[in-house]
Amino acid sequence: MTLTFGPDRQTRAFECDCCHAPIERSWNFIHSDGAPYAVYFASCYHHRDRDHDAWIDVIFGTWGAGPDQWDDHVSFACRVGPVVGQDEPASTLVMAGLAHPDGPLFGRKLDREAALGHPRLPEFWQVSDFILENDPLVRGHIYGR
Ligand SMILES: [Zn+2]
């Protein structure tokens, strides 16, 4: 399975509700062997009084098969950021879609427990690692510019 980005990466900056610091978000399709495979939203936070971290939502489902099919969509999310006692940033499963309204795109939003028991969890880690290493916004935010 070879992962690549779709052609239409988008970014947007807006203001944090809690501290008015900037939030930067990127989103795009991930393709697997050339075909649309998942959609992600990566939000990079610059809270004034907390760690710099990134929250990555990944949605799996059927893409581009005639009229949009949403009923098989399922979403996972993780937080990536500093962890006490570790040099490397760590990824932790969190409730999916927290920063996004409920809607058909996200489908079934998995919480941590549900994600841990879901058969697509290994695919989620593969996609989130790909985003961490290759999305310039996320990479810069987590690993330094
Ligand atoms: Zn904040």
Side-chain angles (χ1 to χ4, degrees), residues 15-23 45-50:
E15 205 175 78
C16 185
D17 285 339
C18 82
C19 64
H20 305 293
I23 302 171
Y45 290 90
H46 303 263
H47 300 295
R48 300 209 184 285
D49 51 0
R50 284 194 268 155

Side-chain angles (χ1 to χ4, degrees), residues 33-102:
D33 297 329
Y37 173 58
V39 168
Y40 74 90
F41 293 82
S43 301
C44 296
Y45 290 90
H46 303 263
H47 300 295
R48 300 209 184 285
D49 51 0
R50 284 194 268 155
D51 290 330
H52 280 201
D53 55 16
W55 296 63
I56 300 174
D57 282 280
V58 175
I59 305 152
F60 293 106
T62 304
W63 308 103
D68 278 340
Q69 295 178 359
W70 308 100
D71 53 341
D72 64 348
H73 283 206
V74 60
S75 49
F76 293 78
C78 65
R79 172 204 180 257
V80 187
V83 172
V84 176
Q86 264 183 252
D87 292 338
E88 287 286 303
S91 299
T92 312
L93 283 171
V94 294
M95 177 76 202
L98 280 179
H100 303 273
D102 282 328

